[in-house]
Amino acid sequence: MIKANPRKVLPIPSLRNIQTFIEVANVGSINQAAELMNITASAVSHQLSSLEQFIGKKLLIRSGKGVVLTHIGEKYLKEVSGAVSIIGRATDQVINDIHHEHLRIHSAPSFGLLWLMRRLNKFRQQYPDLKISLTCSYENLQFSRDNLDIDIRHGLPQWPILNVHTIKNENLIPFASRDYLEGKSINTPADLLRYELIHSDSTLINWNTWLSWYGVENHDKNYYFSFDRSYMSIEAARMGMGIILESNLLADDYLRQHNLVPVFEQVYGMPVAAHHFVLPHVNEQKEKVKVFLSWIDKELSASGFAM
């Protein structure tokens, strides 16, 4: 009985080496190709040599004036250029497919609940074909493992290998409800020590730092209420439970609806860079991500913030 031959495994060289070969062939110069690819000429030569070793044939003839394709090199260039173009178009189509994929977002809980959730329906009305999947937690998620497009993080921007868009013009300011402030005499930061201050564990700047910044001495104080989520602190202040030191970004809708007001007419705030849109470079090339970030930027600008 004659057995069928198993499917032949085709030899496939490094795609990076092929891309380098195509670039050098197109410009006719190793140095010029190196500049266009933002790598060294030595790296270009190494990749060309690796490709020729893999194939076992000479593809280019190097000279002082540049490079010239051999007969085999010309034939190979014609074949692989089309293949690489097909791969590029297929990859671009997958990356930029906004109709058959969800936009998957992870967010720090308070930003997700207090700012983003309140605006998602507006986004849906503008982009009805793009579905949103939103999760909120303080977990350290991974983009590839957890299938994320965008991660909205709270904290110090310490992610050097990722693209980071930090929200600007965010400040920590004392807020309270109108009812709570009724009849109270609060004219300077030091006056706050006579009243109930609500402590937020999650803010980058706490009451002690803020009071020191404004020169208030002997400000050690026991806090009757302390919360580990900004949305809890903000809601507590809305209920008249005390004064919070919180983000004007997170409290924006509460301020617009007059559920909270700044304690002082003069702005006693501390600038903070606390919220960031974080994503890998490849995700930023996706059309659905570009659409969402552009929309976010417009929404932030409407409230006096920027990204």
Side-chain angles (χ1 to χ4, degrees), residues 71-102:
H71 176 71
I72 293 173
E74 290 178 353
K75 182 179 178 182
Y76 190 64
L77 175 66
K78 182 179 179 180
E79 297 293 338
V80 296
S81 294
V84 169
S85 179
I86 291 171
I87 293 171
R89 287 196 299 270
T91 304
D92 182 69
Q93 184 176 3
V94 171
I95 289 175
N96 295 314
D97 183 2
I98 71 170
H99 298 293
H100 299 97
E101 291 187 22
H102 289 75

Coordinates of all heavy atoms in Angstrom, one line a residue, residues 71-102:
H71 N 20.1 38.3 -10.8 CA 18.9 37.7 -11.6 C 18.0 37.0 -10.6 O 16.8 37.2 -10.7 CB 19.4 36.8 -12.7 CG 18.3 36.2 -13.4 ND1 17.4 36.9 -14.3 CD2 17.8 34.9 -13.4 CE1 16.5 36.1 -14.8 NE2 16.7 34.8 -14.3
I72 N 18.5 36.2 -9.7 CA 17.7 35.5 -8.7 C 17.0 36.5 -7.8 O 15.9 36.4 -7.4 CB 18.5 34.5 -7.9 CG1 19.0 33.4 -8.9 CG2 17.8 33.9 -6.8 CD1 20.0 32.4 -8.2
G73 N 17.8 37.6 -7.4 CA 17.3 38.6 -6.5 C 16.1 39.3 -7.1 O 15.1 39.6 -6.5
E74 N 16.2 39.6 -8.5 CA 15.1 40.3 -9.1 C 13.8 39.4 -9.1 O 12.7 39.9 -8.9 CB 15.5 40.6 -10.6 CG 16.5 41.7 -10.7 CD 16.9 42.0 -12.1 OE1 16.5 41.3 -13.0 OE2 17.7 43.0 -12.3
K75 N 14.0 38.2 -9.4 CA 12.9 37.2 -9.4 C 12.3 37.1 -8.0 O 11.0 37.1 -7.9 CB 13.3 35.9 -10.0 CG 12.2 34.9 -10.1 CD 12.7 33.5 -10.6 CE 11.6 32.5 -10.7 NZ 12.0 31.2 -11.1
Y76 N 13.1 37.0 -7.0 CA 12.7 36.8 -5.6 C 11.9 38.1 -5.2 O 10.9 38.0 -4.5 CB 13.8 36.5 -4.7 CG 13.5 36.1 -3.3 CD1 12.8 34.9 -3.1 CD2 13.8 36.9 -2.2 CE1 12.4 34.5 -1.8 CE2 13.5 36.5 -1.0 CZ 12.8 35.3 -0.8 OH 12.4 34.9 0.5
L77 N 12.4 39.3 -5.5 CA 11.8 40.5 -5.1 C 10.4 40.6 -5.7 O 9.4 41.0 -5.0 CB 12.6 41.7 -5.6 CG 12.0 43.1 -5.4 CD1 11.9 43.4 -3.9 CD2 12.8 44.2 -6.2
K78 N 10.2 40.2 -6.9 CA 8.9 40.3 -7.6 C 7.9 39.4 -6.8 O 6.8 39.7 -6.6 CB 9.0 39.8 -9.0 CG 7.7 39.9 -9.8 CD 7.9 39.5 -11.2 CE 6.6 39.5 -12.0 NZ 6.7 39.1 -13.4
E79 N 8.4 38.2 -6.4 CA 7.5 37.2 -5.8 C 7.1 37.6 -4.3 O 6.0 37.6 -3.9 CB 8.1 35.8 -5.8 CG 8.3 35.2 -7.1 CD 7.0 34.9 -7.9 OE1 6.0 34.7 -7.2 OE2 7.0 34.8 -9.1
V80 N 8.2 38.0 -3.6 CA 7.9 38.3 -2.1 C 7.2 39.6 -1.9 O 6.5 39.8 -0.9 CB 9.2 38.2 -1.3 CG1 9.8 36.8 -1.3 CG2 10.2 39.3 -1.7
S81 N 7.4 40.6 -2.8 CA 6.8 41.9 -2.7 C 5.3 41.8 -2.7 O 4.6 42.3 -1.8 CB 7.2 42.9 -3.8 OG 8.6 43.2 -3.7
G82 N 4.8 41.0 -3.6 CA 3.3 40.7 -3.6 C 2.8 40.0 -2.4 O 1.8 40.3 -1.8
A83 N 3.6 39.0 -1.9 CA 3.2 38.3 -0.7 C 3.2 39.2 0.5 O 2.3 39.1 1.3 CB 4.2 37.1 -0.5
V84 N 4.2 40.0 0.7 CA 4.3 40.9 1.9 C 3.1 41.9 1.8 O 2.5 42.3 2.8 CB 5.6 41.6 1.9 CG1 5.6 42.7 3.0 CG2 6.7 40.6 2.3
S85 N 2.8 42.4 0.6 CA 1.7 43.3 0.4 C 0.4 42.7 0.9 O -0.5 43.3 1.5 CB 1.6 43.8 -1.0 OG 0.5 44.7 -1.2
I86 N 0.2 41.4 0.5 CA -1.0 40.7 0.9 C -1.1 40.5 2.4 O -2.1 40.7 3.0 CB -1.1 39.3 0.2 CG1 -1.3 39.4 -1.3 CG2 -2.2 38.4 0.8 CD1 -1.1 38.2 -2.1
I87 N 0.0 40.2 3.0 CA 0.1 40.0 4.5 C -0.2 41.4 5.2 O -1.0 41.4 6.1 CB 1.5 39.5 4.9 CG1 1.7 38.1 4.4 CG2 1.6 39.6 6.5 CD1 3.1 37.6 4.6
G88 N 0.3 42.5 4.6 CA 0.1 43.8 5.2 C -1.4 44.2 5.1 O -1.9 44.7 6.1
R89 N -2.0 44.0 3.9 CA -3.4 44.3 3.8 C -4.3 43.5 4.7 O -5.2 44.0 5.3 CB -3.8 44.1 2.3 CG -3.3 45.2 1.4 CD -4.1 45.2 0.1 NE -4.0 43.9 -0.6 CZ -3.0 43.6 -1.5 NH1 -2.1 44.5 -1.8 NH2 -3.0 42.4 -2.1
A90 N -4.0 42.2 4.8 CA -4.8 41.3 5.7 C -4.6 41.7 7.2 O -5.6 41.8 7.9 CB -4.3 39.9 5.5
T91 N -3.4 42.1 7.6 CA -3.2 42.5 9.0 C -3.9 43.8 9.2 O -4.5 44.0 10.3 CB -1.7 42.7 9.2 OG1 -1.0 41.4 8.9 CG2 -1.4 43.0 10.7
D92 N -3.8 44.8 8.3 CA -4.5 46.1 8.5 C -6.0 45.9 8.6 O -6.6 46.6 9.4 CB -4.1 47.0 7.3 CG -4.7 48.4 7.4 OD1 -4.3 49.1 8.3 OD2 -5.7 48.7 6.6
Q93 N -6.5 45.0 7.8 CA -8.0 44.8 7.8 C -8.4 44.2 9.2 O -9.4 44.6 9.7 CB -8.4 43.8 6.7 CG -9.9 43.5 6.6 CD -10.2 42.6 5.5 OE1 -9.4 42.1 4.8 NE2 -11.5 42.4 5.3
V94 N -7.6 43.3 9.7 CA -7.9 42.8 11.1 C -7.8 43.8 12.1 O -8.6 44.0 13.0 CB -7.0 41.6 11.4 CG1 -7.2 41.1 12.8 CG2 -7.4 40.4 10.4
I95 N -6.7 44.6 12.1 CA -6.4 45.6 13.1 C -7.5 46.7 13.1 O -8.0 47.1 14.1 CB -5.1 46.3 12.8 CG1 -3.9 45.3 13.2 CG2 -4.9 47.6 13.7 CD1 -2.6 45.9 12.9
N96 N -8.0 47.1 11.9 CA -8.9 48.2 11.8 C -10.4 47.8 11.6 O -11.2 48.6 11.2 CB -8.5 49.1 10.6 CG -7.2 49.8 10.8 OD1 -6.9 50.3 11.9 ND2 -6.3 49.7 9.9
D97 N -10.7 46.5 11.9 CA -12.1 46.1 11.8 C -12.9 46.6 12.9 O -12.7 46.0 14.0 CB -12.1 44.5 11.7 CG -13.5 44.0 11.5 OD1 -14.4 44.8 11.4 OD2 -13.6 42.8 11.4
I98 N -13.7 47.6 12.7 CA -14.5 48.1 13.9 C -15.9 47.5 13.9 O -16.7 47.8 14.8 CB -14.6 49.6 13.8 CG1 -15.4 50.1 12.7 CG2 -13.2 50.3 13.8 CD1 -15.8 51.6 12.7
H99 N -16.3 46.8 12.9 CA -17.7 46.3 12.8 C -17.9 44.9 13.4 O -19.0 44.6 13.8 CB -18.1 46.3 11.3 CG -18.1 47.6 10.6 ND1 -18.9 48.6 11.0 CD2 -17.2 48.1 9.7 CE1 -18.6 49.7 10.3 NE2 -17.6 49.4 9.4
H100 N -16.8 44.1 13.5 CA -17.0 42.8 13.9 C -16.3 42.5 15.3 O -16.2 41.4 15.7 CB -16.5 41.8 12.9 CG -17.3 41.9 11.6 ND1 -16.8 42.6 10.5 CD2 -18.5 41.4 11.2 CE1 -17.7 42.6 9.5 NE2 -18.7 41.8 9.9
E101 N -15.8 43.5 15.9 CA -15.2 43.4 17.2 C -15.7 44.4 18.2 O -16.1 45.5 17.8 CB -13.6 43.6 17.0 CG -13.0 42.4 16.3 CD -11.5 42.6 16.3 OE1 -10.9 43.3 17.2 OE2 -10.8 42.1 15.4
H102 N -15.6 44.0 19.4 CA -15.9 45.0 20.5 C -14.6 45.8 20.7 O -13.5 45.4 20.5 CB -16.2 44.2 21.8 CG -17.6 43.6 21.8 ND1 -17.8 42.4 21.1 CD2 -18.7 43.9 22.4 CE1 -19.1 42.0 21.2 NE2 -19.6 42.9 22.0

